Amino acid sequence: MDRLAHLFEEEKHKNKYADQASVLGDYKELIRLHWSDSKKTLDLVLLKLYLTFAQAFFDYGRHSDKLLLIKKPIPGSPEQYLVERSVVHEPKLGFVEDVYGYNSLFPLMLRLLPPESDALTHTLSSLVDPEVCNNVQSANVDILFSLFKLMWTEYGLRSISRTSPYYDARNTEHDPPYWRGYIWININYMVLSALKYYGSLPGPSQTTAQNTFLELKRNIVTNMAKEFNRTGYIWEHYDDKTGQGRAPLFSVRCCSVGARMMSSYDVIGSDDELVSHSY
């Protein structure tokens, strides 16, 4: 908006948007307001699993996940009813740490993280190795790990972690879990763009960003090509369990970013090993 204001000579808005851009781009404020260092634990079969997303960016506000949708009959219309929300536990002020998903990746996508920052290292670690848990002693470790996949899938990044109580849950009675699990191509494209950017900058996370870029792009493009061959369409979002395309049948923006992901645009640097293949 700041650039547009200058481009169209909107004098009264130039300083306004510049000031807002400066505030929103302040890394120290971003960390102060949205970075959580708390260690979250989860008990399962008498084991404590320490999940890697304990250190991450989260929304902050009044929050409670203890809600119910209760059907109440309409007086005089016994076959009709209203659905009202009932709060079981009152909301508390704090980080919304039970939702690890696309929201937690926006600082990465918008390139707000310094290349040498710990926040970038932790964010990339949650993408690259989302199943890492500590202090687990069990003969069925692989089975347990499979239960705690966060966002990474063989088809792209799902919109919300499988560990969240909101994963694959309906928003309301008539609203399916639109952004609660599906793989959205527009967001995955933004993540790829950010990974390309950080892979070009010297720092402790450079190699991780480069490798993650290649693996993620391979997963997304391979699945999009497979579904295009199966259905004849490039889809806006894909099922995170099967990789199958979801509605709508044809999306101009997703066709555009899909074609761009398949092109040589997404090559990092000039190293031949980083040149990703078109599908």
Side-chain angles (χ1 to χ4, degrees):
M1 293 301 296
D2 179 41
R3 291 196 295 269
L4 287 175
H6 282 76
L7 180 63
F8 292 102
E9 299 181 350
E10 291 283 345
E11 294 293 337
K12 65 178 181 179
H13 294 309
K14 283 184 179 180
N15 292 335
K16 169 187 173 182
Y17 290 126
D19 292 343
Q20 289 180 348
S22 177
V23 171
L24 293 174
D26 189 324
Y27 175 70
K28 291 183 179 180
E29 276 297 282
L30 176 66
I31 292 295
R32 185 180 71 85
L33 295 174
H34 293 287
W35 181 257
S36 172
D37 270 319
S38 64
K39 300 295 183 181
K40 307 298 288 184
T41 64
L42 183 63
D43 290 313
L44 179 68
V45 196
L46 302 180
L47 295 174
K48 283 190 179 296
L49 306 181
Y50 296 85
L51 306 182
T52 57
F53 64 85
Q55 294 175 299
F57 291 101
F58 295 102
D59 286 335
Y60 187 90
R62 293 179 58 80
H63 174 66
S64 172
D65 64 348
K66 306 301 182 184
L67 304 172
L68 295 175
L69 293 177
I70 299 178
K71 294 181 179 180
K72 292 189 175 182
I74 298 176
S77 302
E79 296 183 359
Q80 294 182 319
Y81 57 86
L82 295 175
V83 177
E84 295 183 356
R85 186 177 66 173
S86 175
V87 180
V88 179
H89 292 169
E90 287 299 318
K92 294 182 179 180
L93 191 64
F95 288 113
V96 186
E97 293 176 319
D98 57 357
V99 183
Y100 183 81
Y102 287 162
N103 277 2
S104 298
L105 301 184
F106 270 100
L108 169 72
M109 290 188 278
L110 298 177
R111 308 176 186 182
L112 299 177
L113 310 179
E116 71 282 357
S117 66
D118 290 338
L120 176 60
T121 300
H122 286 299
T123 301
L124 291 181
S125 295
S126 295
L127 290 183
V128 177
D129 196 12
E131 300 171 354
V132 170
C133 301
N134 299 321
N135 300 334
V136 178
Q137 297 179 354
S138 170
N140 297 316
V141 167
D142 290 339
I143 296 176
L144 290 173
F145 279 1
S146 69
L147 298 175
F148 289 94
K149 290 181 180 178
L150 299 184
M151 297 176 67
W152 189 274
T153 79
E154 59 184 301
Y155 316 114
L157 297 177
R158 59 169 61 92
S159 46
I160 194 172
S161 164
R162 287 176 58 186
T163 61
S164 172
Y166 306 104
Y167 172 73
D168 209 23
R170 300 186 70 86
N171 299 311
T172 66
E173 179 191 12
H174 303 292
D175 190 7
Y178 212 43
W179 286 84
R180 295 185 172 185
Y182 296 154
I183 298 165
W184 287 78
I185 295 304
N186 53 344
I187 299 296
N188 275 261
Y189 175 79
M190 291 178 66
V191 173
L192 278 178
S193 180
L195 291 172
K196 175 193 173 186
Y197 170 75
Y198 284 110
S200 68
L201 300 178
S205 299
Q206 183 178 31
T207 300
T208 301
Q210 292 172 348
N211 293 337
T212 307
F213 169 86
L214 292 176
E215 289 299 319
L216 180 59
K217 178 179 176 179
R218 183 179 296 111
N219 288 352
I220 298 169
V221 174
T222 299
N223 187 64
M224 291 180 71
K226 181 193 72 175
E227 283 299 285
F228 179 80
N229 290 333
R230 185 180 72 88
T231 66
Y233 293 100
I234 290 179
W235 300 77
E236 185 178 46
H237 54 281
Y238 295 80
D239 191 285
D240 66 304
K241 304 179 191 69
T242 65
Q244 292 187 350
R246 308 284 303 188
L249 286 174
F250 184 80
S251 170
V252 174
R253 64 179 178 179
C254 289
C255 286
S256 300
V257 298
R260 199 165 175 82
M261 282 190 285
M262 297 178 194
S263 73
S264 59
Y265 164 80
D266 290 304
V267 176
I268 303 177
S270 58
D271 192 326
D272 290 340
E273 292 183 359
L274 298 178
V275 176
S276 49
H277 300 286
S278 297
Y279 289 80

PDB file of all heavy atoms in Angstrom, residues 90-114:
ATOM      1  N   GLU A  90     -14.587 -20.436  29.978  1.00  0.00           N
ATOM      2  CA  GLU A  90     -14.464 -19.050  29.561  1.00  0.00           C
ATOM      3  C   GLU A  90     -13.106 -18.796  28.897  1.00  0.00           C
ATOM      4  O   GLU A  90     -12.093 -19.366  29.312  1.00  0.00           O
ATOM      5  CB  GLU A  90     -14.626 -18.117  30.764  1.00  0.00           C
ATOM      6  CG  GLU A  90     -16.054 -18.020  31.263  1.00  0.00           C
ATOM      7  CD  GLU A  90     -16.996 -17.464  30.202  1.00  0.00           C
ATOM      8  OE1 GLU A  90     -16.607 -16.497  29.513  1.00  0.00           O
ATOM      9  OE2 GLU A  90     -18.103 -17.997  30.062  1.00  0.00           O
ATOM     10  N   PRO A  91     -13.083 -17.961  27.870  1.00  0.00           N
ATOM     11  CA  PRO A  91     -11.814 -17.656  27.188  1.00  0.00           C
ATOM     12  C   PRO A  91     -10.808 -17.010  28.130  1.00  0.00           C
ATOM     13  O   PRO A  91     -11.176 -16.266  29.043  1.00  0.00           O
ATOM     14  CB  PRO A  91     -12.242 -16.672  26.086  1.00  0.00           C
ATOM     15  CG  PRO A  91     -13.701 -16.902  25.902  1.00  0.00           C
ATOM     16  CD  PRO A  91     -14.228 -17.290  27.249  1.00  0.00           C
ATOM     17  N   LYS A  92      -9.540 -17.315  27.893  1.00  0.00           N
ATOM     18  CA  LYS A  92      -8.452 -16.721  28.659  1.00  0.00           C
ATOM     19  C   LYS A  92      -7.510 -15.993  27.711  1.00  0.00           C
ATOM     20  O   LYS A  92      -7.335 -16.390  26.558  1.00  0.00           O
ATOM     21  CB  LYS A  92      -7.686 -17.798  29.433  1.00  0.00           C
ATOM     22  CG  LYS A  92      -8.502 -18.478  30.526  1.00  0.00           C
ATOM     23  CD  LYS A  92      -7.653 -19.500  31.273  1.00  0.00           C
ATOM     24  CE  LYS A  92      -8.453 -20.170  32.380  1.00  0.00           C
ATOM     25  NZ  LYS A  92      -7.635 -21.177  33.112  1.00  0.00           N
ATOM     26  N   LEU A  93      -6.887 -14.946  28.228  1.00  0.00           N
ATOM     27  CA  LEU A  93      -5.956 -14.166  27.425  1.00  0.00           C
ATOM     28  C   LEU A  93      -4.620 -14.896  27.325  1.00  0.00           C
ATOM     29  O   LEU A  93      -4.057 -15.322  28.334  1.00  0.00           O
ATOM     30  CB  LEU A  93      -5.750 -12.788  28.056  1.00  0.00           C
ATOM     31  CG  LEU A  93      -5.001 -11.747  27.218  1.00  0.00           C
ATOM     32  CD1 LEU A  93      -5.784 -11.414  25.960  1.00  0.00           C
ATOM     33  CD2 LEU A  93      -4.756 -10.485  28.041  1.00  0.00           C
ATOM     34  N   GLY A  94      -4.125 -15.055  26.107  1.00  0.00           N
ATOM     35  CA  GLY A  94      -2.843 -15.723  25.928  1.00  0.00           C
ATOM     36  C   GLY A  94      -2.623 -16.129  24.488  1.00  0.00           C
ATOM     37  O   GLY A  94      -3.421 -15.806  23.599  1.00  0.00           O
ATOM     38  N   PHE A  95      -1.527 -16.838  24.244  1.00  0.00           N
ATOM     39  CA  PHE A  95      -1.240 -17.337  22.909  1.00  0.00           C
ATOM     40  C   PHE A  95      -2.222 -18.453  22.543  1.00  0.00           C
ATOM     41  O   PHE A  95      -2.571 -19.278  23.383  1.00  0.00           O
ATOM     42  CB  PHE A  95       0.188 -17.885  22.829  1.00  0.00           C
ATOM     43  CG  PHE A  95       1.250 -16.832  22.848  1.00  0.00           C
ATOM     44  CD1 PHE A  95       2.117 -16.721  23.922  1.00  0.00           C
ATOM     45  CD2 PHE A  95       1.393 -15.955  21.787  1.00  0.00           C
ATOM     46  CE1 PHE A  95       3.104 -15.751  23.947  1.00  0.00           C
ATOM     47  CE2 PHE A  95       2.373 -14.978  21.797  1.00  0.00           C
ATOM     48  CZ  PHE A  95       3.230 -14.870  22.877  1.00  0.00           C
ATOM     49  N   VAL A  96      -2.639 -18.464  21.296  1.00  0.00           N
ATOM     50  CA  VAL A  96      -3.529 -19.516  20.807  1.00  0.00           C
ATOM     51  C   VAL A  96      -2.646 -20.659  20.308  1.00  0.00           C
ATOM     52  O   VAL A  96      -2.425 -20.846  19.113  1.00  0.00           O
ATOM     53  CB  VAL A  96      -4.447 -18.991  19.687  1.00  0.00           C
ATOM     54  CG1 VAL A  96      -5.468 -20.053  19.291  1.00  0.00           C
ATOM     55  CG2 VAL A  96      -5.160 -17.721  20.139  1.00  0.00           C
ATOM     56  N   GLU A  97      -2.132 -21.439  21.262  1.00  0.00           N
ATOM     57  CA  GLU A  97      -1.094 -22.419  20.953  1.00  0.00           C
ATOM     58  C   GLU A  97      -1.632 -23.776  20.515  1.00  0.00           C
ATOM     59  O   GLU A  97      -0.848 -24.676  20.216  1.00  0.00           O
ATOM     60  CB  GLU A  97      -0.185 -22.595  22.170  1.00  0.00           C
ATOM     61  CG  GLU A  97       0.626 -21.349  22.492  1.00  0.00           C
ATOM     62  CD  GLU A  97       1.448 -21.510  23.758  1.00  0.00           C
ATOM     63  OE1 GLU A  97       0.935 -22.083  24.746  1.00  0.00           O
ATOM     64  OE2 GLU A  97       2.608 -21.063  23.756  1.00  0.00           O
ATOM     65  N   ASP A  98      -2.943 -23.924  20.481  1.00  0.00           N
ATOM     66  CA  ASP A  98      -3.484 -25.202  20.017  1.00  0.00           C
ATOM     67  C   ASP A  98      -3.785 -25.164  18.519  1.00  0.00           C
ATOM     68  O   ASP A  98      -4.433 -26.055  17.991  1.00  0.00           O
ATOM     69  CB  ASP A  98      -4.737 -25.586  20.805  1.00  0.00           C
ATOM     70  CG  ASP A  98      -5.823 -24.529  20.740  1.00  0.00           C
ATOM     71  OD1 ASP A  98      -5.582 -23.465  20.132  1.00  0.00           O
ATOM     72  OD2 ASP A  98      -6.909 -24.753  21.304  1.00  0.00           O
ATOM     73  N   VAL A  99      -3.326 -24.119  17.847  1.00  0.00           N
ATOM     74  CA  VAL A  99      -3.518 -24.005  16.400  1.00  0.00           C
ATOM     75  C   VAL A  99      -2.172 -23.705  15.751  1.00  0.00           C
ATOM     76  O   VAL A  99      -1.733 -22.558  15.702  1.00  0.00           O
ATOM     77  CB  VAL A  99      -4.517 -22.888  16.039  1.00  0.00           C
ATOM     78  CG1 VAL A  99      -4.740 -22.865  14.533  1.00  0.00           C
ATOM     79  CG2 VAL A  99      -5.833 -23.091  16.765  1.00  0.00           C
ATOM     80  N   TYR A 100      -1.495 -24.756  15.284  1.00  0.00           N
ATOM     81  CA  TYR A 100      -0.268 -24.556  14.523  1.00  0.00           C
ATOM     82  C   TYR A 100      -0.608 -24.798  13.055  1.00  0.00           C
ATOM     83  O   TYR A 100      -0.990 -25.900  12.663  1.00  0.00           O
ATOM     84  CB  TYR A 100       0.828 -25.521  14.968  1.00  0.00           C
ATOM     85  CG  TYR A 100       2.141 -25.278  14.243  1.00  0.00           C
ATOM     86  CD1 TYR A 100       2.986 -24.260  14.656  1.00  0.00           C
ATOM     87  CD2 TYR A 100       2.498 -26.032  13.137  1.00  0.00           C
ATOM     88  CE1 TYR A 100       4.176 -24.007  13.993  1.00  0.00           C
ATOM     89  CE2 TYR A 100       3.687 -25.787  12.466  1.00  0.00           C
ATOM     90  CZ  TYR A 100       4.519 -24.778  12.896  1.00  0.00           C
ATOM     91  OH  TYR A 100       5.683 -24.527  12.230  1.00  0.00           O
ATOM     92  N   GLY A 101      -0.495 -23.738  12.253  1.00  0.00           N
ATOM     93  CA  GLY A 101      -0.878 -23.860  10.851  1.00  0.00           C
ATOM     94  C   GLY A 101      -0.319 -22.719  10.031  1.00  0.00           C
ATOM     95  O   GLY A 101       0.726 -22.147  10.358  1.00  0.00           O
ATOM     96  N   TYR A 102      -1.030 -22.379   8.965  1.00  0.00           N
ATOM     97  CA  TYR A 102      -0.552 -21.334   8.065  1.00  0.00           C
ATOM     98  C   TYR A 102      -0.284 -20.018   8.791  1.00  0.00           C
ATOM     99  O   TYR A 102       0.646 -19.287   8.441  1.00  0.00           O
ATOM    100  CB  TYR A 102      -1.571 -21.097   6.950  1.00  0.00           C
ATOM    101  CG  TYR A 102      -1.648 -22.193   5.905  1.00  0.00           C
ATOM    102  CD1 TYR A 102      -2.754 -22.300   5.069  1.00  0.00           C
ATOM    103  CD2 TYR A 102      -0.618 -23.120   5.745  1.00  0.00           C
ATOM    104  CE1 TYR A 102      -2.835 -23.293   4.097  1.00  0.00           C
ATOM    105  CE2 TYR A 102      -0.691 -24.118   4.791  1.00  0.00           C
ATOM    106  CZ  TYR A 102      -1.806 -24.202   3.964  1.00  0.00           C
ATOM    107  OH  TYR A 102      -1.877 -25.182   3.009  1.00  0.00           O
ATOM    108  N   ASN A 103      -1.116 -19.685   9.800  1.00  0.00           N
ATOM    109  CA  ASN A 103      -0.909 -18.436  10.538  1.00  0.00           C
ATOM    110  C   ASN A 103       0.495 -18.354  11.121  1.00  0.00           C
ATOM    111  O   ASN A 103       1.102 -17.278  11.166  1.00  0.00           O
ATOM    112  CB  ASN A 103      -1.935 -18.305  11.663  1.00  0.00           C
ATOM    113  CG  ASN A 103      -3.253 -17.747  11.168  1.00  0.00           C
ATOM    114  OD1 ASN A 103      -3.414 -17.492   9.981  1.00  0.00           O
ATOM    115  ND2 ASN A 103      -4.201 -17.571  12.069  1.00  0.00           N
ATOM    116  N   SER A 104       1.016 -19.491  11.576  1.00  0.00           N
ATOM    117  CA  SER A 104       2.342 -19.509  12.197  1.00  0.00           C
ATOM    118  C   SER A 104       3.460 -19.315  11.179  1.00  0.00           C
ATOM    119  O   SER A 104       4.608 -19.079  11.560  1.00  0.00           O
ATOM    120  CB  SER A 104       2.551 -20.836  12.941  1.00  0.00           C
ATOM    121  OG  SER A 104       1.612 -20.976  13.987  1.00  0.00           O
ATOM    122  N   LEU A 105       3.132 -19.420   9.899  1.00  0.00           N
ATOM    123  CA  LEU A 105       4.151 -19.314   8.854  1.00  0.00           C
ATOM    124  C   LEU A 105       4.177 -17.953   8.168  1.00  0.00           C
ATOM    125  O   LEU A 105       5.048 -17.709   7.331  1.00  0.00           O
ATOM    126  CB  LEU A 105       3.932 -20.401   7.794  1.00  0.00           C
ATOM    127  CG  LEU A 105       3.967 -21.851   8.275  1.00  0.00           C
ATOM    128  CD1 LEU A 105       3.829 -22.795   7.084  1.00  0.00           C
ATOM    129  CD2 LEU A 105       5.248 -22.145   9.041  1.00  0.00           C
ATOM    130  N   PHE A 106       3.238 -17.068   8.497  1.00  0.00           N
ATOM    131  CA  PHE A 106       3.206 -15.779   7.804  1.00  0.00           C
ATOM    132  C   PHE A 106       4.474 -14.951   8.002  1.00  0.00           C
ATOM    133  O   PHE A 106       4.930 -14.298   7.057  1.00  0.00           O
ATOM    134  CB  PHE A 106       1.958 -14.989   8.195  1.00  0.00           C
ATOM    135  CG  PHE A 106       0.790 -15.278   7.297  1.00  0.00           C
ATOM    136  CD1 PHE A 106      -0.212 -16.146   7.693  1.00  0.00           C
ATOM    137  CD2 PHE A 106       0.702 -14.706   6.039  1.00  0.00           C
ATOM    138  CE1 PHE A 106      -1.277 -16.437   6.857  1.00  0.00           C
ATOM    139  CE2 PHE A 106      -0.362 -14.984   5.187  1.00  0.00           C
ATOM    140  CZ  PHE A 106      -1.357 -15.854   5.599  1.00  0.00           C
ATOM    141  N   PRO A 107       5.094 -14.928   9.186  1.00  0.00           N
ATOM    142  CA  PRO A 107       6.369 -14.207   9.293  1.00  0.00           C
ATOM    143  C   PRO A 107       7.433 -14.759   8.339  1.00  0.00           C
ATOM    144  O   PRO A 107       8.255 -14.001   7.818  1.00  0.00           O
ATOM    145  CB  PRO A 107       6.768 -14.415  10.759  1.00  0.00           C
ATOM    146  CG  PRO A 107       5.461 -14.591  11.470  1.00  0.00           C
ATOM    147  CD  PRO A 107       4.621 -15.389  10.514  1.00  0.00           C
ATOM    148  N   LEU A 108       7.411 -16.078   8.116  1.00  0.00           N
ATOM    149  CA  LEU A 108       8.316 -16.680   7.136  1.00  0.00           C
ATOM    150  C   LEU A 108       7.920 -16.263   5.732  1.00  0.00           C
ATOM    151  O   LEU A 108       8.761 -15.799   4.944  1.00  0.00           O
ATOM    152  CB  LEU A 108       8.274 -18.199   7.261  1.00  0.00           C
ATOM    153  CG  LEU A 108       8.971 -18.995   6.143  1.00  0.00           C
ATOM    154  CD1 LEU A 108      10.485 -18.863   6.266  1.00  0.00           C
ATOM    155  CD2 LEU A 108       8.549 -20.457   6.173  1.00  0.00           C
ATOM    156  N   MET A 109       6.638 -16.410   5.398  1.00  0.00           N
ATOM    157  CA  MET A 109       6.173 -16.114   4.044  1.00  0.00           C
ATOM    158  C   MET A 109       6.418 -14.661   3.660  1.00  0.00           C
ATOM    159  O   MET A 109       6.718 -14.356   2.504  1.00  0.00           O
ATOM    160  CB  MET A 109       4.686 -16.453   3.919  1.00  0.00           C
ATOM    161  CG  MET A 109       4.381 -17.936   3.940  1.00  0.00           C
ATOM    162  SD  MET A 109       2.649 -18.292   3.574  1.00  0.00           S
ATOM    163  CE  MET A 109       1.888 -18.028   5.171  1.00  0.00           C
ATOM    164  N   LEU A 110       6.281 -13.752   4.631  1.00  0.00           N
ATOM    165  CA  LEU A 110       6.458 -12.330   4.351  1.00  0.00           C
ATOM    166  C   LEU A 110       7.905 -11.875   4.522  1.00  0.00           C
ATOM    167  O   LEU A 110       8.193 -10.685   4.443  1.00  0.00           O
ATOM    168  CB  LEU A 110       5.537 -11.510   5.261  1.00  0.00           C
ATOM    169  CG  LEU A 110       4.039 -11.769   5.058  1.00  0.00           C
ATOM    170  CD1 LEU A 110       3.217 -10.956   6.047  1.00  0.00           C
ATOM    171  CD2 LEU A 110       3.620 -11.452   3.633  1.00  0.00           C
ATOM    172  N   ARG A 111       8.801 -12.834   4.802  1.00  0.00           N
ATOM    173  CA  ARG A 111      10.245 -12.576   4.882  1.00  0.00           C
ATOM    174  C   ARG A 111      10.583 -11.552   5.962  1.00  0.00           C
ATOM    175  O   ARG A 111      11.445 -10.691   5.779  1.00  0.00           O
ATOM    176  CB  ARG A 111      10.770 -12.104   3.521  1.00  0.00           C
ATOM    177  CG  ARG A 111      10.394 -13.035   2.383  1.00  0.00           C
ATOM    178  CD  ARG A 111      10.846 -12.508   1.043  1.00  0.00           C
ATOM    179  NE  ARG A 111      10.359 -13.348  -0.050  1.00  0.00           N
ATOM    180  CZ  ARG A 111      10.635 -13.145  -1.332  1.00  0.00           C
ATOM    181  NH1 ARG A 111      11.401 -12.128  -1.682  1.00  0.00           N
ATOM    182  NH2 ARG A 111      10.156 -13.946  -2.257  1.00  0.00           N
ATOM    183  N   LEU A 112       9.905 -11.663   7.096  1.00  0.00           N
ATOM    184  CA  LEU A 112      10.129 -10.736   8.201  1.00  0.00           C
ATOM    185  C   LEU A 112      11.214 -11.213   9.158  1.00  0.00           C
ATOM    186  O   LEU A 112      11.586 -10.484  10.078  1.00  0.00           O
ATOM    187  CB  LEU A 112       8.822 -10.544   8.986  1.00  0.00           C
ATOM    188  CG  LEU A 112       7.637  -9.959   8.206  1.00  0.00           C
ATOM    189  CD1 LEU A 112       6.405  -9.898   9.100  1.00  0.00           C
ATOM    190  CD2 LEU A 112       7.970  -8.579   7.662  1.00  0.00           C
ATOM    191  N   LEU A 113      11.720 -12.425   8.965  1.00  0.00           N
ATOM    192  CA  LEU A 113      12.674 -13.015   9.901  1.00  0.00           C
ATOM    193  C   LEU A 113      14.099 -12.816   9.400  1.00  0.00           C
ATOM    194  O   LEU A 113      14.417 -13.171   8.257  1.00  0.00           O
ATOM    195  CB  LEU A 113      12.393 -14.509  10.067  1.00  0.00           C
ATOM    196  CG  LEU A 113      10.940 -14.888  10.378  1.00  0.00           C
ATOM    197  CD1 LEU A 113      10.800 -16.397  10.489  1.00  0.00           C
ATOM    198  CD2 LEU A 113      10.467 -14.199  11.643  1.00  0.00           C
ATOM    199  N   PRO A 114      14.987 -12.262  10.229  1.00  0.00           N
ATOM    200  CA  PRO A 114      16.389 -12.137   9.832  1.00  0.00           C
ATOM    201  C   PRO A 114      16.985 -13.515   9.544  1.00  0.00           C
ATOM    202  O   PRO A 114      16.648 -14.497  10.225  1.00  0.00           O
ATOM    203  CB  PRO A 114      17.052 -11.493  11.059  1.00  0.00           C
ATOM    204  CG  PRO A 114      15.927 -10.803  11.780  1.00  0.00           C
ATOM    205  CD  PRO A 114      14.724 -11.668  11.555  1.00  0.00           C
TER     206      PRO A 114
END
